Amino acid sequence: MAIRRGRGVAAINYPTGMNLGGDPTQALVHSTPTGNFMVTLSSVDLGQGMKQIMAQICAETIGVPTDRVVVDTADTDTGPHCMGTFASRGTHRAGNAVIQAAREARQVMLEVAAEELEVNASDLETDGQGNILVKGAPQRSISIFDVALSAHFKRGRSISGRGMFLIPRSYPEKETGAMKPSTCYAHACTVAEVEVDDETGEVTVLTVKNVFEIGRALNPKMVEQQLVGGSWMGISHALYETTEPYYPNRDHGGTDFNQYLMPGPGDLAQTEIIVLERPSADGPYGAKGPGEMCANPQIPAVANAVFDAVGVRIDTLPITPERILRALKAQAGAPN
């Protein structure tokens, strides 16, 4: 009996969004009288940071600091239409809609500023700090605060915009059934190293090294946090989590979270994250959707590492010590 070490590799690709009716999302952007901007969405922030990313996208497009943007996710009664927050579609779909809406609002803003400065709107640019400047003559400028006041109380203009992102629908070919269900894909590869006790079946994950290709990381620190957390979640799915240990038999299933097995801090492996940026042609500033993909490749990587360590293939999750021991007995010809 011994502690055996193994290494497993797994690579995946993951579609961003889906191909149902164009997978649409809408966004509204408008300025307040004081030059702040409100983004209205029905897309929901589930903790993945959507509000922050939408604020960054809007601010970048209009040309204002991010702290001048507020994102209201409203609800489906009062907000513009959205298919939902799922399928790793939030940043890609809502982000594109916000860009469209913000561009429209920016154009109105520049038109009002042009009236105030007595120039053409095409001769203006923003400095990213809350000011609008005449190109080549930055001493001629006006603050966005003053432009918003003028629009509301002098010019009678609404600095606002509407955006909707809709992907081209892909229909299956009659002869082959081939289709294109997504316009862009994210990619990942994981290498997991484990130790397996062939007497007890216990698995210890030593290291997990992950490489993710996610288009462009619009907020690198938030991306890193999501990818690390997702990697830990993948390990948890691989080795621990289940509500039905003997499905479809309900015996011994947990009844609450006190009985729901998950890894603690001491069970988490040394984790390395590498992000590859290959901007998507149709993504907002090149972004794709890393959301769900980040917890996927660790599962087959751990399963392959267990196989490499003790030579048994476990194809039912979670990979418990009991299942490993039963597989080892079956391999040796012993009755279970």
Side-chain angles (χ1 to χ4, degrees):
M1 302 300 177
I3 303 294
R4 303 186 182 275
R5 181 171 291 200
R7 176 181 295 169
V9 181
I12 66 168
N13 66 358
Y14 201 90
T16 296
M18 57 183 184
N19 178 42
L20 293 176
D23 199 15
T25 288
Q26 300 177 9
L28 302 174
V29 172
H30 74 271
S31 167
T32 68
T34 55
N36 292 322
F37 287 85
M38 175 70 70
V39 178
T40 305
L41 300 167
S42 291
S43 308
V44 178
D45 192 324
L46 302 174
Q48 78 276 34
M50 175 178 283
K51 285 187 174 182
Q52 173 64 28
I53 294 302
M54 294 306 112
Q56 288 181 214
I57 290 173
C58 180
E60 178 71 19
T61 305
I62 293 176
V64 297
T66 302
D67 60 12
R68 298 282 291 272
V69 179
V70 176
V71 178
D72 177 17
T73 53
D75 59 44
T76 53
D77 283 332
T78 61
H81 177 256
C82 177
M83 291 293 287
T85 301
F86 56 90
S88 302
R89 64 185 297 281
T91 294
H92 189 275
R93 303 303 198 250
N96 274 311
V98 168
I99 287 176
Q100 291 183 17
R103 284 175 177 167
E104 190 172 294
R106 173 186 167 88
Q107 182 59 34
V108 177
M109 179 183 72
L110 294 179
E111 289 172 3
V112 173
E115 293 182 51
E116 292 296 313
L117 294 171
E118 299 182 342
V119 296
N120 293 323
S122 60
D123 294 330
L124 297 175
E125 61 185 0
T126 53
D127 66 356
Q129 302 299 316
N131 301 295
I132 299 173
L133 318 174
V134 176
K135 296 176 183 176
Q139 69 277 10
R140 296 191 62 196
S141 65
I142 185 172
S143 70
I144 292 176
F145 177 91
D146 288 331
V147 171
L149 288 175
S150 175
H152 281 82
F153 300 110
K154 180 179 177 182
R155 304 291 178 178
R157 301 290 301 275
S158 173
I159 300 178
S160 59
R162 300 162 296 175
M164 179 171 180
F165 184 71
L166 189 70
I167 65 170
R169 188 169 182 179
S170 174
Y171 292 91
E173 296 178 4
K174 293 182 180 180
E175 297 178 352
T176 65
M179 63 180 297
K180 187 177 181 180
S182 183
T183 59
C184 66
Y185 293 80
H187 305 84
C189 182
T190 292
V191 179
E193 291 186 284
V194 305
E195 287 183 344
V196 183
D197 187 324
D198 64 7
E199 183 175 11
T200 66
E202 184 178 3
V203 178
T204 301
V205 182
L206 303 175
T207 64
V208 177
K209 297 177 173 64
N210 305 280
V211 179
F212 295 95
E213 185 278 300
I214 60 166
R216 186 179 179 190
L218 301 186
N219 187 311
K221 183 54 66 174
M222 288 177 62
V223 167
E224 178 187 357
Q225 292 169 343
Q226 188 167 31
L227 296 180
V228 170
S231 181
W232 293 346
M233 184 181 293
I235 294 172
S236 187
H237 286 324
L239 298 177
Y240 297 89
E241 295 188 52
T242 180
T243 57
E244 308 289 343
Y246 297 104
Y247 181 83
N249 191 325
R250 300 298 300 273
D251 292 348
H252 305 293
T255 58
D256 56 36
F257 281 109
N258 289 323
Q259 298 176 346
Y260 188 76
L261 187 62
M262 292 186 290
D267 301 310
L268 297 173
Q270 178 182 339
T271 303
E272 182 178 348
I273 301 292
I274 296 174
V275 175
L276 300 180
E277 294 188 283
R278 299 291 186 272
S280 168
D282 70 345
Y285 297 106
K288 300 178 183 179
E292 292 162 296
M293 174 191 70
C294 59
N296 287 0
Q298 299 80 18
I299 299 170
V302 169
N304 289 337
V306 170
F307 176 78
D308 185 50
V310 293
V312 294
R313 177 69 68 187
I314 310 299
D315 57 9
T316 301
L317 295 179
I319 303 170
T320 60
E322 177 183 354
R323 286 176 173 145
I324 292 174
L325 291 179
R326 286 184 181 276
L328 288 171
K329 288 183 179 180
Q331 184 187 61
N336 285 325

